[in-house]
Structures are given as C-alpha cells and as structure tokens.
PDB file of all heavy atoms in Angstrom:
ATOM      1  N   GLN A 322      58.084-136.277 -20.058  1.00 82.00           N
ATOM      2  CA  GLN A 322      59.057-135.281 -20.494  1.00 82.00           C
ATOM      3  C   GLN A 322      58.851-134.001 -19.690  1.00 82.00           C
ATOM      4  O   GLN A 322      57.740-133.689 -19.295  1.00 82.00           O
ATOM      5  CB  GLN A 322      58.882-135.001 -21.981  1.00 82.00           C
ATOM      6  CG  GLN A 322      60.090-134.376 -22.619  1.00 82.00           C
ATOM      7  CD  GLN A 322      60.110-134.607 -24.124  1.00 82.00           C
ATOM      8  OE1 GLN A 322      59.159-135.120 -24.682  1.00 82.00           O
ATOM      9  NE2 GLN A 322      61.195-134.219 -24.755  1.00 82.00           N
ATOM     10  N   VAL A 323      59.963-133.300 -19.453  1.00 87.00           N
ATOM     11  CA  VAL A 323      59.934-132.079 -18.654  1.00 87.00           C
ATOM     12  C   VAL A 323      60.294-130.900 -19.539  1.00 87.00           C
ATOM     13  O   VAL A 323      61.236-130.962 -20.335  1.00 87.00           O
ATOM     14  CB  VAL A 323      60.927-132.181 -17.485  1.00 87.00           C
ATOM     15  CG1 VAL A 323      60.999-130.861 -16.729  1.00 87.00           C
ATOM     16  CG2 VAL A 323      60.542-133.315 -16.548  1.00 87.00           C
ATOM     17  N   GLN A 324      59.524-129.830 -19.420  1.00 92.00           N
ATOM     18  CA  GLN A 324      59.804-128.602 -20.153  1.00 92.00           C
ATOM     19  C   GLN A 324      60.103-127.485 -19.159  1.00 92.00           C
ATOM     20  O   GLN A 324      59.474-127.397 -18.113  1.00 92.00           O
ATOM     21  CB  GLN A 324      58.621-128.189 -21.031  1.00 92.00           C
ATOM     22  CG  GLN A 324      58.301-129.146 -22.159  1.00 92.00           C
ATOM     23  CD  GLN A 324      57.425-130.295 -21.677  1.00 92.00           C
ATOM     24  OE1 GLN A 324      56.517-130.108 -20.886  1.00 92.00           O
ATOM     25  NE2 GLN A 324      57.712-131.493 -22.180  1.00 92.00           N
ATOM     26  N   LEU A 325      61.059-126.647 -19.523  1.00 95.00           N
ATOM     27  CA  LEU A 325      61.408-125.475 -18.722  1.00 95.00           C
ATOM     28  C   LEU A 325      61.198-124.234 -19.578  1.00 95.00           C
ATOM     29  O   LEU A 325      61.745-124.148 -20.681  1.00 95.00           O
ATOM     30  CB  LEU A 325      62.857-125.546 -18.251  1.00 95.00           C
ATOM     31  CG  LEU A 325      63.232-126.737 -17.374  1.00 95.00           C
ATOM     32  CD1 LEU A 325      64.699-126.674 -16.984  1.00 95.00           C
ATOM     33  CD2 LEU A 325      62.369-126.801 -16.121  1.00 95.00           C
ATOM     34  N   ALA A 326      60.437-123.301 -19.071  1.00 94.00           N
ATOM     35  CA  ALA A 326      60.142-122.060 -19.798  1.00 94.00           C
ATOM     36  C   ALA A 326      60.777-120.894 -19.058  1.00 94.00           C
ATOM     37  O   ALA A 326      60.375-120.591 -17.933  1.00 94.00           O
ATOM     38  CB  ALA A 326      58.645-121.870 -19.919  1.00 94.00           C
ATOM     39  N   GLU A 327      61.734-120.258 -19.697  1.00 95.00           N
ATOM     40  CA  GLU A 327      62.447-119.127 -19.094  1.00 95.00           C
ATOM     41  C   GLU A 327      61.910-117.820 -19.654  1.00 95.00           C
ATOM     42  O   GLU A 327      61.641-117.711 -20.853  1.00 95.00           O
ATOM     43  CB  GLU A 327      63.938-119.212 -19.399  1.00 95.00           C
ATOM     44  CG  GLU A 327      64.610-120.453 -18.861  1.00 95.00           C
ATOM     45  CD  GLU A 327      65.994-120.637 -19.446  1.00 95.00           C
ATOM     46  OE1 GLU A 327      66.354-119.881 -20.366  1.00 95.00           O
ATOM     47  OE2 GLU A 327      66.707-121.539 -18.994  1.00 95.00           O
ATOM     48  N   THR A 328      61.786-116.835 -18.800  1.00 95.00           N
ATOM     49  CA  THR A 328      61.385-115.492 -19.222  1.00 95.00           C
ATOM     50  C   THR A 328      62.174-114.462 -18.432  1.00 95.00           C
ATOM     51  O   THR A 328      62.738-114.776 -17.366  1.00 95.00           O
ATOM     52  CB  THR A 328      59.881-115.254 -18.997  1.00 95.00           C
ATOM     53  OG1 THR A 328      59.584-115.460 -17.609  1.00 95.00           O
ATOM     54  CG2 THR A 328      59.033-116.188 -19.835  1.00 95.00           C
ATOM     55  N   GLY A 329      62.229-113.251 -18.951  1.00 96.00           N
ATOM     56  CA  GLY A 329      62.764-112.137 -18.183  1.00 96.00           C
ATOM     57  C   GLY A 329      64.070-111.549 -18.650  1.00 96.00           C
ATOM     58  O   GLY A 329      64.523-110.556 -18.083  1.00 96.00           O
ATOM     59  N   GLY A 330      64.709-112.100 -19.658  1.00 95.00           N
ATOM     60  CA  GLY A 330      65.955-111.523 -20.127  1.00 95.00           C
ATOM     61  C   GLY A 330      65.713-110.230 -20.887  1.00 95.00           C
ATOM     62  O   GLY A 330      64.576-109.816 -21.110  1.00 95.00           O
ATOM     63  N   GLY A 331      66.806-109.578 -21.267  1.00 97.00           N
ATOM     64  CA  GLY A 331      66.678-108.353 -22.040  1.00 97.00           C
ATOM     65  C   GLY A 331      67.919-107.496 -21.949  1.00 97.00           C
ATOM     66  O   GLY A 331      68.965-107.933 -21.476  1.00 97.00           O
ATOM     67  N   LEU A 332      67.743-106.258 -22.415  1.00 98.00           N
ATOM     68  CA  LEU A 332      68.828-105.276 -22.405  1.00 98.00           C
ATOM     69  C   LEU A 332      68.595-104.297 -21.258  1.00 98.00           C
ATOM     70  O   LEU A 332      67.474-103.769 -21.116  1.00 98.00           O
ATOM     71  CB  LEU A 332      68.861-104.532 -23.738  1.00 98.00           C
ATOM     72  CG  LEU A 332      69.795-103.327 -23.842  1.00 98.00           C
ATOM     73  CD1 LEU A 332      71.248-103.758 -23.704  1.00 98.00           C
ATOM     74  CD2 LEU A 332      69.558-102.589 -25.152  1.00 98.00           C
ATOM     75  N   VAL A 333      69.612-104.058 -20.469  1.00 98.00           N
ATOM     76  CA  VAL A 333      69.491-103.152 -19.339  1.00 98.00           C
ATOM     77  C   VAL A 333      70.793-102.361 -19.195  1.00 98.00           C
ATOM     78  O   VAL A 333      71.868-102.850 -19.557  1.00 98.00           O
ATOM     79  CB  VAL A 333      69.168-103.942 -18.050  1.00 98.00           C
ATOM     80  CG1 VAL A 333      70.295-104.875 -17.680  1.00 98.00           C
ATOM     81  CG2 VAL A 333      68.803-103.024 -16.899  1.00 98.00           C
ATOM     82  N   GLN A 334      70.668-101.156 -18.682  1.00 98.00           N
ATOM     83  CA  GLN A 334      71.858-100.339 -18.462  1.00 98.00           C
ATOM     84  C   GLN A 334      72.589-100.777 -17.200  1.00 98.00           C
ATOM     85  O   GLN A 334      71.976-101.365 -16.292  1.00 98.00           O
ATOM     86  CB  GLN A 334      71.463 -98.868 -18.332  1.00 98.00           C
ATOM     87  CG  GLN A 334      70.937 -98.265 -19.627  1.00 98.00           C
ATOM     88  CD  GLN A 334      70.701 -96.775 -19.511  1.00 98.00           C
ATOM     89  OE1 GLN A 334      70.577 -96.225 -18.416  1.00 98.00           O
ATOM     90  NE2 GLN A 334      70.643 -96.099 -20.650  1.00 98.00           N
ATOM     91  N   PRO A 335      73.881-100.506 -17.115  1.00 98.00           N
ATOM     92  CA  PRO A 335      74.609-100.812 -15.876  1.00 98.00           C
ATOM     93  C   PRO A 335      73.928-100.173 -14.672  1.00 98.00           C
ATOM     94  O   PRO A 335      73.481 -99.026 -14.744  1.00 98.00           O
ATOM     95  CB  PRO A 335      75.987-100.211 -16.135  1.00 98.00           C
ATOM     96  CG  PRO A 335      76.147-100.260 -17.619  1.00 98.00           C
ATOM     97  CD  PRO A 335      74.770 -99.983 -18.169  1.00 98.00           C
ATOM     98  N   GLY A 336      73.844-100.948 -13.598  1.00 98.00           N
ATOM     99  CA  GLY A 336      73.141-100.499 -12.406  1.00 98.00           C
ATOM    100  C   GLY A 336      71.678-100.855 -12.375  1.00 98.00           C
ATOM    101  O   GLY A 336      71.021-100.691 -11.333  1.00 98.00           O
ATOM    102  N   GLY A 337      71.164-101.336 -13.476  1.00 98.00           N
ATOM    103  CA  GLY A 337      69.751-101.688 -13.561  1.00 98.00           C
ATOM    104  C   GLY A 337      69.451-103.064 -12.986  1.00 98.00           C
ATOM    105  O   GLY A 337      70.338-103.748 -12.451  1.00 98.00           O
ATOM    106  N   SER A 338      68.188-103.468 -13.121  1.00 98.00           N
ATOM    107  CA  SER A 338      67.720-104.736 -12.559  1.00 98.00           C
ATOM    108  C   SER A 338      66.933-105.530 -13.591  1.00 98.00           C
ATOM    109  O   SER A 338      66.307-104.956 -14.486  1.00 98.00           O
ATOM    110  CB  SER A 338      66.815-104.483 -11.351  1.00 98.00           C
ATOM    111  OG  SER A 338      67.514-103.832 -10.307  1.00 98.00           O
ATOM    112  N   LEU A 339      66.963-106.819 -13.432  1.00 98.00           N
ATOM    113  CA  LEU A 339      66.134-107.746 -14.205  1.00 98.00           C
ATOM    114  C   LEU A 339      65.733-108.889 -13.296  1.00 98.00           C
ATOM    115  O   LEU A 339      66.442-109.226 -12.348  1.00 98.00           O
ATOM    116  CB  LEU A 339      66.896-108.321 -15.406  1.00 98.00           C
ATOM    117  CG  LEU A 339      67.120-107.439 -16.627  1.00 98.00           C
ATOM    118  CD1 LEU A 339      68.003-108.175 -17.629  1.00 98.00           C
ATOM    119  CD2 LEU A 339      65.802-107.057 -17.279  1.00 98.00           C
ATOM    120  N   ARG A 340      64.600-109.491 -13.624  1.00 98.00           N
ATOM    121  CA  ARG A 340      64.156-110.670 -12.891  1.00 98.00           C
ATOM    122  C   ARG A 340      63.896-111.789 -13.888  1.00 98.00           C
ATOM    123  O   ARG A 340      63.071-111.645 -14.789  1.00 98.00           O
ATOM    124  CB  ARG A 340      62.882-110.384 -12.096  1.00 98.00           C
ATOM    125  CG  ARG A 340      62.485-111.519 -11.149  1.00 98.00           C
ATOM    126  CD  ARG A 340      61.110-111.294 -10.595  1.00 98.00           C
ATOM    127  NE  ARG A 340      60.825-112.153  -9.448  1.00 98.00           N
ATOM    128  CZ  ARG A 340      59.609-112.595  -9.152  1.00 98.00           C
ATOM    129  NH1 ARG A 340      58.573-112.263  -9.902  1.00 98.00           N
ATOM    130  NH2 ARG A 340      59.427-113.353  -8.085  1.00 98.00           N
ATOM    131  N   LEU A 341      64.597-112.901 -13.708  1.00 98.00           N
ATOM    132  CA  LEU A 341      64.397-114.071 -14.554  1.00 98.00           C
ATOM    133  C   LEU A 341      63.472-115.054 -13.851  1.00 98.00           C
ATOM    134  O   LEU A 341      63.508-115.199 -12.634  1.00 98.00           O
ATOM    135  CB  LEU A 341      65.740-114.751 -14.837  1.00 98.00           C
ATOM    136  CG  LEU A 341      66.859-113.891 -15.433  1.00 98.00           C
ATOM    137  CD1 LEU A 341      68.081-114.758 -15.704  1.00 98.00           C
ATOM    138  CD2 LEU A 341      66.393-113.186 -16.686  1.00 98.00           C
ATOM    139  N   SER A 342      62.666-115.730 -14.661  1.00 98.00           N
ATOM    140  CA  SER A 342      61.782-116.776 -14.138  1.00 98.00           C
ATOM    141  C   SER A 342      61.969-118.030 -14.971  1.00 98.00           C
ATOM    142  O   SER A 342      62.233-117.960 -16.167  1.00 98.00           O
ATOM    143  CB  SER A 342      60.319-116.339 -14.215  1.00 98.00           C
ATOM    144  OG  SER A 342      60.080-115.198 -13.443  1.00 98.00           O
ATOM    145  N   CYS A 343      61.793-119.170 -14.335  1.00 97.00           N
ATOM    146  CA  CYS A 343      61.873-120.451 -15.036  1.00 97.00           C
ATOM    147  C   CYS A 343      60.833-121.376 -14.441  1.00 97.00           C
ATOM    148  O   CYS A 343      60.930-121.746 -13.263  1.00 97.00           O
ATOM    149  CB  CYS A 343      63.273-121.049 -14.901  1.00 97.00           C
ATOM    150  SG  CYS A 343      63.448-122.702 -15.585  1.00 97.00           S
ATOM    151  N   ALA A 344      59.853-121.745 -15.253  1.00 96.00           N
ATOM    152  CA  ALA A 344      58.771-122.596 -14.800  1.00 96.00           C
ATOM    153  C   ALA A 344      58.915-123.989 -15.391  1.00 96.00           C
ATOM    154  O   ALA A 344      59.083-124.140 -16.609  1.00 96.00           O
ATOM    155  CB  ALA A 344      57.424-121.993 -15.200  1.00 96.00           C
ATOM    156  N   ALA A 345      58.843-124.993 -14.534  1.00 94.00           N
ATOM    157  CA  ALA A 345      58.930-126.388 -14.966  1.00 94.00           C
ATOM    158  C   ALA A 345      57.532-126.963 -15.145  1.00 94.00           C
ATOM    159  O   ALA A 345      56.628-126.693 -14.351  1.00 94.00           O
ATOM    160  CB  ALA A 345      59.703-127.207 -13.945  1.00 94.00           C
ATOM    161  N   SER A 346      57.354-127.769 -16.183  1.00 91.00           N
ATOM    162  CA  SER A 346      56.065-128.415 -16.428  1.00 91.00           C
ATOM    163  C   SER A 346      56.308-129.751 -17.112  1.00 91.00           C
ATOM    164  O   SER A 346      57.412-130.071 -17.530  1.00 91.00           O
ATOM    165  CB  SER A 346      55.179-127.525 -17.293  1.00 91.00           C
ATOM    166  OG  SER A 346      55.770-127.324 -18.562  1.00 91.00           O
ATOM    167  N   GLY A 347      55.232-130.522 -17.212  1.00 88.00           N
ATOM    168  CA  GLY A 347      55.331-131.815 -17.871  1.00 88.00           C
ATOM    169  C   GLY A 347      55.311-132.954 -16.869  1.00 88.00           C
ATOM    170  O   GLY A 347      54.708-132.849 -15.804  1.00 88.00           O
ATOM    171  N   ASN A 348      55.972-134.009 -17.212  1.00 82.00           N
ATOM    172  CA  ASN A 348      55.986-135.227 -16.408  1.00 82.00           C
ATOM    173  C   ASN A 348      56.993-135.083 -15.266  1.00 82.00           C
ATOM    174  O   ASN A 348      58.057-135.682 -15.271  1.00 82.00           O
ATOM    175  CB  ASN A 348      56.332-136.429 -17.286  1.00 82.00           C
ATOM    176  CG  ASN A 348      56.120-137.738 -16.564  1.00 82.00           C
ATOM    177  OD1 ASN A 348      55.381-137.799 -15.584  1.00 82.00           O
ATOM    178  ND2 ASN A 348      56.780-138.794 -17.021  1.00 82.00           N
ATOM    179  N   ILE A 349      56.614-134.260 -14.280  1.00 82.00           N
ATOM    180  CA  ILE A 349      57.532-133.968 -13.192  1.00 82.00           C
ATOM    181  C   ILE A 349      56.743-134.020 -11.895  1.00 82.00           C
ATOM    182  O   ILE A 349      55.667-133.454 -11.777  1.00 82.00           O
ATOM    183  CB  ILE A 349      58.185-132.583 -13.413  1.00 82.00           C
ATOM    184  CG1 ILE A 349      59.222-132.277 -12.358  1.00 82.00           C
ATOM    185  CG2 ILE A 349      57.148-131.470 -13.497  1.00 82.00           C
ATOM    186  CD1 ILE A 349      60.078-131.075 -12.705  1.00 82.00           C
ATOM    187  N   PHE A 350      57.275-134.745 -10.922  1.00 77.00           N
ATOM    188  CA  PHE A 350      56.551-134.923  -9.677  1.00 77.00           C
ATOM    189  C   PHE A 350      57.244-134.290  -8.493  1.00 77.00           C
ATOM    190  O   PHE A 350      56.606-133.898  -7.525  1.00 77.00           O
ATOM    191  CB  PHE A 350      56.324-136.415  -9.430  1.00 77.00           C
ATOM    192  CG  PHE A 350      55.532-137.078 -10.503  1.00 77.00           C
ATOM    193  CD1 PHE A 350      56.148-137.823 -11.488  1.00 77.00           C
ATOM    194  CD2 PHE A 350      54.155-136.923 -10.547  1.00 77.00           C
ATOM    195  CE1 PHE A 350      55.417-138.420 -12.489  1.00 77.00           C
ATOM    196  CE2 PHE A 350      53.401-137.525 -11.533  1.00 77.00           C
ATOM    197  CZ  PHE A 350      54.029-138.278 -12.512  1.00 77.00           C
ATOM    198  N   SER A 351      58.521-134.196  -8.550  1.00 81.00           N
ATOM    199  CA  SER A 351      59.261-133.539  -7.463  1.00 81.00           C
ATOM    200  C   SER A 351      60.516-132.928  -8.037  1.00 81.00           C
ATOM    201  O   SER A 351      61.071-133.419  -9.010  1.00 81.00           O
ATOM    202  CB  SER A 351      59.600-134.539  -6.361  1.00 81.00           C
ATOM    203  OG  SER A 351      60.513-135.502  -6.834  1.00 81.00           O
ATOM    204  N   VAL A 352      60.912-131.850  -7.424  1.00 88.00           N
ATOM    205  CA  VAL A 352      62.102-131.130  -7.885  1.00 88.00           C
ATOM    206  C   VAL A 352      63.063-130.969  -6.728  1.00 88.00           C
ATOM    207  O   VAL A 352      62.661-130.541  -5.650  1.00 88.00           O
ATOM    208  CB  VAL A 352      61.704-129.749  -8.453  1.00 88.00           C
ATOM    209  CG1 VAL A 352      62.949-128.952  -8.807  1.00 88.00           C
ATOM    210  CG2 VAL A 352      60.818-129.909  -9.674  1.00 88.00           C
ATOM    211  N   ASN A 353      64.281-131.311  -6.962  1.00 93.00           N
ATOM    212  CA  ASN A 353      65.301-131.134  -5.923  1.00 93.00           C
ATOM    213  C   ASN A 353      65.958-129.766  -6.105  1.00 93.00           C
ATOM    214  O   ASN A 353      65.307-128.751  -5.961  1.00 93.00           O
ATOM    215  CB  ASN A 353      66.290-132.294  -5.977  1.00 93.00           C
ATOM    216  CG  ASN A 353      65.607-133.620  -5.749  1.00 93.00           C
ATOM    217  OD1 ASN A 353      64.773-133.756  -4.855  1.00 93.00           O
ATOM    218  ND2 ASN A 353      65.914-134.612  -6.565  1.00 93.00           N
ATOM    219  N   ASP A 354      67.222-129.736  -6.485  1.00 95.00           N
ATOM    220  CA  ASP A 354      67.885-128.454  -6.664  1.00 95.00           C
ATOM    221  C   ASP A 354      67.418-127.753  -7.940  1.00 95.00           C
ATOM    222  O   ASP A 354      67.102-128.401  -8.935  1.00 95.00           O
ATOM    223  CB  ASP A 354      69.405-128.643  -6.753  1.00 95.00           C
ATOM    224  CG  ASP A 354      70.008-129.064  -5.421  1.00 95.00           C
ATOM    225  OD1 ASP A 354      69.245-129.194  -4.434  1.00 95.00           O
ATOM    226  OD2 ASP A 354      71.229-129.268  -5.379  1.00 95.00           O
ATOM    227  N   MET A 355      67.368-126.442  -7.861  1.00 96.00           N
ATOM    228  CA  MET A 355      67.101-125.602  -9.034  1.00 96.00           C
ATOM    229  C   MET A 355      68.217-124.561  -9.091  1.00 96.00           C
ATOM    230  O   MET A 355      68.715-124.135  -8.037  1.00 96.00           O
ATOM    231  CB  MET A 355      65.743-124.911  -8.926  1.00 96.00           C
ATOM    232  CG  MET A 355      64.587-125.876  -8.687  1.00 96.00           C
ATOM    233  SD  MET A 355      62.987-125.038  -8.531  1.00 96.00           S
ATOM    234  CE  MET A 355      62.505-124.894 -10.253  1.00 96.00           C
ATOM    235  N   GLY A 356      68.577-124.159 -10.291  1.00 97.00           N
ATOM    236  CA  GLY A 356      69.685-123.215 -10.373  1.00 97.00           C
ATOM    237  C   GLY A 356      69.704-122.426 -11.658  1.00 97.00           C
ATOM    238  O   GLY A 356      68.962-122.709 -12.598  1.00 97.00           O
ATOM    239  N   TRP A 357      70.543-121.406 -11.645  1.00 98.00           N
ATOM    240  CA  TRP A 357      70.772-120.574 -12.821  1.00 98.00           C
ATOM    241  C   TRP A 357      72.253-120.612 -13.171  1.00 98.00           C
ATOM    242  O   TRP A 357      73.113-120.491 -12.283  1.00 98.00           O
ATOM    243  CB  TRP A 357      70.356-119.127 -12.549  1.00 98.00           C
ATOM    244  CG  TRP A 357      68.884-118.940 -12.453  1.00 98.00           C
ATOM    245  CD1 TRP A 357      68.118-118.936 -11.317  1.00 98.00           C
ATOM    246  CD2 TRP A 357      67.982-118.753 -13.547  1.00 98.00           C
ATOM    247  NE1 TRP A 357      66.797-118.758 -11.649  1.00 98.00           N
ATOM    248  CE2 TRP A 357      66.686-118.629 -13.008  1.00 98.00           C
ATOM    249  CE3 TRP A 357      68.139-118.664 -14.934  1.00 98.00           C
ATOM    250  CZ2 TRP A 357      65.562-118.428 -13.801  1.00 98.00           C
ATOM    251  CZ3 TRP A 357      67.023-118.468 -15.712  1.00 98.00           C
ATOM    252  CH2 TRP A 357      65.753-118.342 -15.153  1.00 98.00           C
ATOM    253  N   TYR A 358      72.526-120.791 -14.440  1.00 98.00           N
ATOM    254  CA  TYR A 358      73.871-120.769 -14.987  1.00 98.00           C
ATOM    255  C   TYR A 358      73.929-119.671 -16.048  1.00 98.00           C
ATOM    256  O   TYR A 358      72.893-119.239 -16.556  1.00 98.00           O
ATOM    257  CB  TYR A 358      74.222-122.107 -15.630  1.00 98.00           C
ATOM    258  CG  TYR A 358      74.399-123.241 -14.651  1.00 98.00           C
ATOM    259  CD1 TYR A 358      73.316-123.755 -13.946  1.00 98.00           C
ATOM    260  CD2 TYR A 358      75.655-123.800 -14.423  1.00 98.00           C
ATOM    261  CE1 TYR A 358      73.480-124.793 -13.045  1.00 98.00           C
ATOM    262  CE2 TYR A 358      75.831-124.836 -13.525  1.00 98.00           C
ATOM    263  CZ  TYR A 358      74.739-125.336 -12.843  1.00 98.00           C
ATOM    264  OH  TYR A 358      74.915-126.366 -11.950  1.00 98.00           O
ATOM    265  N   ARG A 359      75.113-119.246 -16.374  1.00 98.00           N
ATOM    266  CA  ARG A 359      75.252-118.286 -17.460  1.00 98.00           C
ATOM    267  C   ARG A 359      76.496-118.627 -18.284  1.00 98.00           C
ATOM    268  O   ARG A 359      77.450-119.213 -17.786  1.00 98.00           O
ATOM    269  CB  ARG A 359      75.336-116.851 -16.942  1.00 98.00           C
ATOM    270  CG  ARG A 359      76.604-116.507 -16.193  1.00 98.00           C
ATOM    271  CD  ARG A 359      76.533-115.107 -15.638  1.00 98.00           C
ATOM    272  NE  ARG A 359      77.699-114.786 -14.825  1.00 98.00           N
ATOM    273  CZ  ARG A 359      77.779-113.743 -14.004  1.00 98.00           C
ATOM    274  NH1 ARG A 359      76.745-112.890 -13.900  1.00 98.00           N
ATOM    275  NH2 ARG A 359      78.865-113.521 -13.293  1.00 98.00           N
ATOM    276  N   GLN A 360      76.419-118.201 -19.533  1.00 98.00           N
ATOM    277  CA  GLN A 360      77.543-118.403 -20.437  1.00 98.00           C
ATOM    278  C   GLN A 360      77.797-117.102 -21.189  1.00 98.00           C
ATOM    279  O   GLN A 360      76.942-116.656 -21.966  1.00 98.00           O
ATOM    280  CB  GLN A 360      77.275-119.540 -21.408  1.00 98.00           C
ATOM    281  CG  GLN A 360      78.476-119.908 -22.253  1.00 98.00           C
ATOM    282  CD  GLN A 360      78.319-121.263 -22.919  1.00 98.00           C
ATOM    283  OE1 GLN A 360      77.222-121.790 -23.060  1.00 98.00           O
ATOM    284  NE2 GLN A 360      79.433-121.838 -23.328  1.00 98.00           N
ATOM    285  N   ALA A 361      78.954-116.523 -20.920  1.00 95.00           N
ATOM    286  CA  ALA A 361      79.355-115.309 -21.626  1.00 95.00           C
ATOM    287  C   ALA A 361      80.060-115.702 -22.923  1.00 95.00           C
ATOM    288  O   ALA A 361      80.584-116.816 -23.032  1.00 95.00           O
ATOM    289  CB  ALA A 361      80.284-114.484 -20.744  1.00 95.00           C
ATOM    290  N   PRO A 362      80.091-114.797 -23.897  1.00 89.00           N
ATOM    291  CA  PRO A 362      80.760-115.118 -25.161  1.00 89.00           C
ATOM    292  C   PRO A 362      82.208-115.540 -24.943  1.00 89.00           C
ATOM    293  O   PRO A 362      82.966-114.870 -24.257  1.00 89.00           O
ATOM    294  CB  PRO A 362      80.674-113.797 -25.933  1.00 89.00           C
ATOM    295  CG  PRO A 362      79.486-113.098 -25.358  1.00 89.00           C
ATOM    296  CD  PRO A 362      79.460-113.481 -23.912  1.00 89.00           C
ATOM    297  N   GLY A 363      82.566-116.689 -25.510  1.00 93.00           N
ATOM    298  CA  GLY A 363      83.938-117.167 -25.414  1.00 93.00           C
ATOM    299  C   GLY A 363      84.317-117.791 -24.093  1.00 93.00           C
ATOM    300  O   GLY A 363      85.478-118.124 -23.872  1.00 93.00           O
ATOM    301  N   LYS A 364      83.336-117.946 -23.205  1.00 95.00           N
ATOM    302  CA  LYS A 364      83.627-118.520 -21.891  1.00 95.00           C
ATOM    303  C   LYS A 364      82.779-119.757 -21.638  1.00 95.00           C
ATOM    304  O   LYS A 364      81.782-120.000 -22.315  1.00 95.00           O
ATOM    305  CB  LYS A 364      83.371-117.475 -20.793  1.00 95.00           C
ATOM    306  CG  LYS A 364      84.301-116.274 -20.846  1.00 95.00           C
ATOM    307  CD  LYS A 364      84.104-115.391 -19.639  1.00 95.00           C
ATOM    308  CE  LYS A 364      85.085-114.225 -19.648  1.00 95.00           C
ATOM    309  NZ  LYS A 364      84.919-113.356 -18.445  1.00 95.00           N
ATOM    310  N   GLN A 365      83.203-120.517 -20.641  1.00 96.00           N
ATOM    311  CA  GLN A 365      82.443-121.704 -20.278  1.00 96.00           C
ATOM    312  C   GLN A 365      81.211-121.334 -19.467  1.00 96.00           C
ATOM    313  O   GLN A 365      81.163-120.296 -18.812  1.00 96.00           O
ATOM    314  CB  GLN A 365      83.326-122.654 -19.467  1.00 96.00           C
ATOM    315  CG  GLN A 365      84.431-123.328 -20.271  1.00 96.00           C
ATOM    316  CD  GLN A 365      85.148-124.395 -19.467  1.00 96.00           C
ATOM    317  OE1 GLN A 365      85.260-124.301 -18.255  1.00 96.00           O
ATOM    318  NE2 GLN A 365      85.632-125.414 -20.147  1.00 96.00           N
TER     319      GLN A 365
END
C-alpha cells in the first residue's frame, strides 16, 4: 500500500507564497509522474 503525506497549506494574503510538499511512502518502488491538482468550491 502507498501513502501520500501532504503538508504546507494554510491561509495567506494575496501576493504571498506557500510551499506544498507531498511525500510518498509504503510499498512503492518507482514513481513515474507526480503532480498537483486543486479543487475550488463548486468547481471540478
């Protein structure tokens, strides 16, 4: 089984910065593509 642990979200003012991290662990030997998706309220 594979687990993904995300960190780094929060509240920021316009113009500010944030850094997100996602660490994979578990029964995983190789990783191909990695990506970030987002979902805004009411949107896909």
